[in-house]
Amino acid sequence: MNGQNESFGGLARPDAIGVSLFMVSVKGPNGAVTISHGRNQRHPVTVNSNDATCQSSWPSDSDGSTAVFRLSRVRPCLINRLAFGLIGLGWTLAGNGMTARSAEPEPVPAADEQFETIVAPFLARHCNDCHGGDAPEADLSLTRFGRTAEIQDNYDLWERVSRMIEHREMPPADVPQPSEESLQAVLVALRGQLDSFDCSGESRPGRVTVRRLNRVEYNHTVRDLFGIDFRPADDFPSDDVGYGFDNIADVLSMSPILLEKYLASAEQIVAQVFEDPETRKRVEIESAKPGDGWAARLRSDVSALARRAFRRPVDEEEVDRLLAIAVGPGDRDAGPPREPRGRRSGFNRYFREGRSTNQPLRIAATAILASPHFLFRIELDPEVSTEAADSGSQPDPDQPAIRPLNDHEVASRLSYFLWSSMPDAVLFELADEGKLRHPEVLEAQVDRMLNDPKASALVDHFAGQWLQLRDLELLSPDPQRYPAFDDTLRKSMRQETEKFFEAVIREDRSVLDFLDADYSFVNERLAKHYGMEGVEGDEFRRVELPPQRRGVLTQASILTLTSNPTRTSPVKRGQWILDNFLGEPPPPPPAGVEELNEDDETLGSLRERMEQHRANPACAVCHRQMDTLGFGLENFDGVGGWRDVDGRFPIDPSGELPGNVQFSTAAEMLGLLSQGRRDAFARRLTEKLLTYSLGRGLGPFDRCSVNGILDRLADDEYRFRTLVKAVVTSDPFLYRELTGAP
């Protein structure tokens, strides 16, 4: 095939899952063969080849289907024979009984030609009237795509379009519908576009803006730098949030009032450190005496403190500048003082004026804490020469546009990711030795750091924001509707979810436990709220959950967060699942749509009122899946307690997920999500964790790295620590694009 991309498509017969489809893509020059079908599952397949034979072993997955088949370095003739043989002879997706039939298949066009001949006409007939013009619905315009999908820059857009067509959410029910043949053809073509996303080019690890320590990181860094229990950042202005987290570099700005707070805080910290002889030992080697190498020891103390505070080695010039601030310039001709030099020496001036012998160190420490190198996490790129900058010359195209982070930069990324604090002595030592970047060393450090009590920061600040547990403090359920709710119960709700997350980390459990775990952690107060017996006292313990509760979605914290003050909200609950767990956030409601009155029982049960609301085609598209997920949790009231009726109406939690998959209880729904949507959940969690670890939002160029992390996660039973290790050994974590890179 000489490096050409070829694709073949067909239909599989309907079964209980619904009409399915498959596509074979042969991509050169390495000879990768991809076989996919409408359920979008992906599995590795082992292929052995030699001059005469091509043998393959086909794995089975949870639903018995095989979806992806890849060959590397297989002769083109064998690939041709394999591709045509699979389609000419037909093949079966085991367990589902779906047989692909095509006696003499004709090759379909390449991806761009396929888009122009199949996708673009489909969009023109069924989509562009609403998703075009100056004010496209859902702010989604498709009319600009006529000849190509521009998949490298618009992957998320086309994935969303493909998903909505496959789930029959688009075109809306009130407009003429495409034939099943036309719909399946466009799905095959869109899948071909998505599969054509190219990960073979040069890596794009992205780059992070100079990143200020947020309030949590500042407090933790002060704690670990000096060993004092002091939280000065609690009085700082709140940090802005981007991409769901408050450690995103692009939104962590520096205001004048924050700068004033930093200066005042530096003085307060130093005062506390030097008041306590134990903490003073962290910055002062021994008492200074004139004529006994005092200046040398001061230099050593300042250098050691700056190195730890800046999280990297410091050079002599940096230390000289700090000493000049601490004791004055000394003899003008002699430069910054290193030892006492006569009557004009800054050192002798301190002794002559009877000042404290540790005053220079106090001043230097204050300057260090006010330095940008302490307040910001700075990853310096190689400087452009003055001549090149003046001439406006472009970077040398023969030079790499990315650079590996040095070991100290990796140490800083790792420690602020897992501990929200500075590196410890072990990380500093490994960085000094140049060993930390080695994958086996990095992964060993992940295990060590996750076993450390400081890893609770990952629970507090990653889980606290991903699962939105921080917002629990802001909620006030109606005391008349929920008289049992109080601050003690609120605190217990949050602790349950935090202890659950801690167990997933500590025991290295599957991340799918978030969906369908049959265990949790409760104390007496929470057990009573859940109707569980045999639990006494305030201490939390691990318990087996009753059949109706599974994973975190049936924990009271999440159920309360996704409710209104006076009642449940299936819309909020469904939207929360789609956004935080499945990565399919629905668009904002169309303008002019009347909001649902959820409290008017004269119009029927809440489910009946929602069905009336969905009668508006503009609402039905998004609400169909949102409401299904939300009503699946309707047996849980506004604060997570169990109920069988809502007012005078019996509760019906049943529903149907895309693919005509039905459920009758919350536990069944969560089980189906764990099996059928595990890949979507794993991807969303990976994207969230990678965003948090990097301190930046993800772009299309990050997709290849995310895919690599997901492959490794799936290969190790979705274990949480494997996810963390895959993140910290990924290109975005270990490399950065240089300034001026495309």
Side-chain angles (χ1 to χ4, degrees):
M1 287 170 287
N2 301 322
Q4 299 296 315
N5 289 353
E6 302 183 24
S7 301
F8 313 90
L11 295 179
R13 68 176 175 82
D15 70 345
I17 304 296
V19 175
S20 187
L21 59 103
F22 73 89
M23 188 178 76
V24 180
S25 299
V26 183
K27 303 176 183 177
N30 65 340
V33 175
T34 301
I35 299 174
S36 59
H37 65 91
R39 303 187 68 184
N40 302 333
Q41 301 291 323
R42 288 187 171 272
H43 303 272
V45 177
T46 303
V47 178
N48 301 316
S49 67
N50 53 40
D51 290 339
T53 63
C54 181
Q55 300 173 333
S56 63
S57 60
W58 296 77
S60 60
D61 67 293
S62 58
D63 61 7
S65 64
T66 300
V68 171
F69 187 19
R70 297 181 177 214
L71 280 73
S72 297
R73 298 184 299 277
V74 181
R75 287 176 174 78
C77 61
L78 291 178
I79 296 177
N80 274 317
R81 193 159 55 215
L82 172 66
F84 281 102
L86 283 172
I87 299 176
L89 296 176
W91 53 281
T92 301
L93 294 177
N96 288 332
M98 295 186 288
T99 304
R101 299 165 295 174
S102 181
E104 295 183 1
E106 293 292 333
V108 300
D112 283 349
E113 184 179 351
Q114 197 177 30
F115 183 90
E116 185 176 2
T117 59
I118 298 176
V119 178
F122 181 94
L123 298 177
R125 286 193 301 270
H126 301 288
C127 307
N128 289 352
D129 285 348
C130 296
H131 296 286
D134 296 332
E137 289 193 13
D139 199 26
L140 172 61
S141 176
L142 300 176
T143 54
R144 63 189 176 95
F145 302 101
R147 300 177 61 87
T148 175
E150 302 173 14
I151 195 68
Q152 294 298 124
D153 297 321
N154 298 281
Y155 189 99
D156 291 342
L157 181 152
W158 290 112
E159 187 177 49
R160 176 182 167 194
V161 169
S162 177
R163 182 174 63 246
M164 297 192 76
I165 293 175
E166 184 177 0
H167 292 174
R168 308 303 194 270
E169 297 174 1
M170 283 290 178
D174 64 333
V175 301
Q177 296 295 299
S179 67
E180 189 65 24
E181 181 180 2
S182 174
L183 188 144
Q184 293 296 335
V186 79
L187 283 174
V188 170
L190 286 173
R191 180 49 55 188
Q193 285 286 329
L194 295 173
D195 287 343
S196 71
F197 190 87
D198 184 14
C199 289
S200 63
E202 185 179 358
S203 174
R204 289 284 310 276
R207 60 193 311 273
V208 183
T209 308
V210 172
R211 179 172 156 189
R212 174 175 63 78
L213 299 183
N214 66 19
R215 296 197 305 171
V216 168
E217 293 167 340
Y218 185 96
N219 281 337
H220 287 182
T221 302
V222 169
R223 175 200 66 195
D224 294 338
L225 182 61
F226 296 112
I228 59 175
D229 185 17
F230 181 43
R231 301 177 57 87
D234 289 353
D235 191 40
F236 292 178
S238 297
D239 296 311
D240 290 330
V241 174
Y243 304 99
F245 298 105
D246 64 2
N247 67 343
I248 302 301
D250 286 344
V251 301
L252 288 172
S253 57
M254 174 78 81
S255 65
I257 189 173
L258 181 58
L259 180 58
E260 293 178 4
K261 294 284 188 181
Y262 279 144
L263 297 175
S265 175
E267 295 176 348
Q268 294 167 5
I269 293 167
V270 170
Q272 286 207 20
V273 167
F274 280 87
E275 286 173 1
D276 186 336
E278 292 300 315
T279 58
R280 193 167 65 236
K281 291 179 181 178
R282 288 177 174 256
V283 294
E284 188 178 52
I285 296 176
E286 59 184 297
S287 299
K289 298 178 182 178
D292 192 23
W294 183 84
R297 291 198 303 276
L298 176 63
R299 167 174 288 273
S300 177
D301 289 347
V302 170
S303 177
L305 178 59
R307 176 180 177 275
R308 295 178 61 235
F310 297 168
R311 284 93 58 185
R312 59 168 175 77
V314 293
D315 58 37
E316 290 296 309
E317 290 184 3
E318 289 180 288
V319 178
D320 286 344
R321 287 195 294 269
L322 291 168
L323 290 174
I325 294 172
V327 299
D331 294 329
R332 292 183 179 181
D333 297 333
R338 296 173 185 267
E339 293 286 350
R341 289 188 178 91
R343 298 180 58 84
R344 295 179 62 190
S345 165
F347 292 96
N348 283 341
R349 186 175 68 251
Y350 271 90
F351 290 110
R352 186 171 60 254
E353 296 176 2
R355 301 189 188 184
S356 168
T357 56
N358 64 28
Q359 185 69 6
L361 184 55
R362 293 169 66 109
I363 296 173
T366 304
I368 288 170
L369 294 180
S371 168
H373 294 281
F374 173 75
L375 300 174
F376 291 83
R377 291 169 51 192
I378 301 174
E379 297 167 353
L380 292 176
D381 293 333
E383 294 184 4
V384 178
S385 67
T386 304
E387 294 79 4
D390 292 341
S391 65
S393 61
Q394 298 298 315
D396 185 349
D398 295 329
Q399 295 298 317
I402 64 173
R403 73 166 178 89
L405 298 180
N406 63 49
D407 286 75
H408 290 92
E409 291 168 337
V410 172
S412 187
R413 282 198 178 191
L414 186 61
S415 63
Y416 281 100
F417 171 29
L418 300 182
W419 288 347
S420 296
S421 186
M422 61 178 288
D424 66 354
V426 175
L427 291 177
F428 269 121
E429 181 178 357
L430 289 170
D432 289 343
E433 295 172 353
K435 297 179 179 178
L436 186 58
R437 282 183 52 88
H438 298 172
E440 65 278 7
V441 175
L442 261 180
E443 295 188 10
Q445 289 305 302
V446 167
D447 284 326
R448 178 184 73 87
M449 295 173 72
L450 290 179
N451 291 334
D452 191 284
K454 286 191 287 188
S456 62
L458 194 63
V459 177
D460 296 338
H461 309 300
F462 172 70
Q465 295 180 87
W466 169 47
L467 299 176
Q468 300 174 2
L469 300 177
R470 291 181 175 183
D471 294 342
L472 201 58
E473 300 298 323
L474 307 176
L475 302 181
S476 300
D478 186 350
Q480 293 184 339
R481 288 288 186 103
Y482 307 109
F485 183 87
D486 56 20
D487 285 338
T488 300
L489 182 57
R490 186 202 309 269
K491 182 179 178 181
S492 296
M493 289 176 175
R494 178 167 180 169
Q495 284 183 288
E496 176 192 17
T497 306
E498 290 174 341
K499 290 186 177 298
F500 182 91
F501 199 101
E502 287 174 358
V504 171
I505 296 175
R506 184 178 60 254
E507 301 170 20
D508 194 16
R509 299 189 64 88
S510 168
V511 300
L512 301 180
D513 279 9
F514 289 109
L515 286 172
D516 66 355
D518 60 0
Y519 67 91
S520 191
F521 298 82
V522 300
N523 60 5
E524 181 178 0
R525 182 70 179 86
L526 194 59
K528 181 180 179 181
H529 184 63
Y530 286 170
M532 301 171 63
E533 299 179 352
V535 178
E536 297 180 355
D538 294 333
E539 183 179 353
F540 277 77
R541 68 217 65 183
R542 188 179 187 132
V543 296
E544 182 178 345
L545 290 171
Q548 66 267 26
R549 291 187 187 269
R550 289 291 181 270
V552 300
L553 292 177
T554 60
Q555 292 179 2
S557 59
I558 306 302
L559 293 165
T560 303
L561 282 166
T562 53
S563 295
N564 291 329
T566 60
R567 63 169 305 111
T568 61
S569 175
V571 174
K572 285 185 178 180
R573 288 178 175 177
Q575 184 178 19
W576 195 96
I577 295 172
L578 288 173
D579 189 1
N580 291 284
F581 270 33
L582 301 181
E584 301 173 8
V593 174
E594 184 178 353
E595 292 188 9
L596 171 71
N597 185 350
E598 296 186 3
D599 295 317
D600 189 355
E601 294 190 3
T602 62
L603 299 177
S605 68
L606 182 57
R607 178 181 282 271
E608 291 171 339
R609 280 174 273 151
M610 291 297 298
E611 289 174 353
Q612 295 170 22
H613 187 64
R614 286 201 304 270
N616 183 340
C619 303
V621 173
C622 297
H623 277 279
R624 185 178 296 116
Q625 189 174 181
M626 253 194 320
D627 296 354
T628 297
L629 295 169
F631 276 115
L633 301 173
E634 190 63 4
N635 278 117
F636 302 98
D637 67 20
V639 293
W642 180 262
R643 61 181 184 168
D644 294 306
V645 296
D646 180 17
R648 55 190 177 89
F649 299 102
I651 290 174
D652 176 14
S654 63
E656 182 180 295
L657 297 175
N660 299 321
V661 180
Q662 299 180 348
F663 62 87
S664 59
T665 67
E668 287 183 12
M669 180 187 76
L670 296 175
L672 290 171
L673 290 178
S674 177
Q675 295 300 315
R677 304 304 308 278
R678 65 170 59 189
D679 290 343
F681 171 75
R683 177 174 292 276
R684 189 56 165 172
L685 176 56
T686 298
E687 292 170 344
K688 289 285 188 179
L689 195 64
L690 186 59
T691 296
Y692 179 82
S693 72
L694 298 176
R696 67 166 174 83
L698 303 187
F701 51 84
D702 291 304
R703 175 163 296 277
C704 299
S705 295
V706 171
N707 289 344
I709 295 170
L710 286 170
D711 287 343
R712 183 173 174 187
L713 180 63
D715 287 345
D716 195 25
E717 300 178 333
Y718 296 90
R719 296 187 182 278
F720 183 83
R721 292 195 178 199
T722 299
L723 173 58
V724 176
K725 293 172 183 177
V727 165
V728 303
T729 54
S730 67
D731 283 356
F733 196 87
L734 295 177
Y735 294 82
R736 67 180 272 118
E737 293 183 24
L738 299 178
T739 304

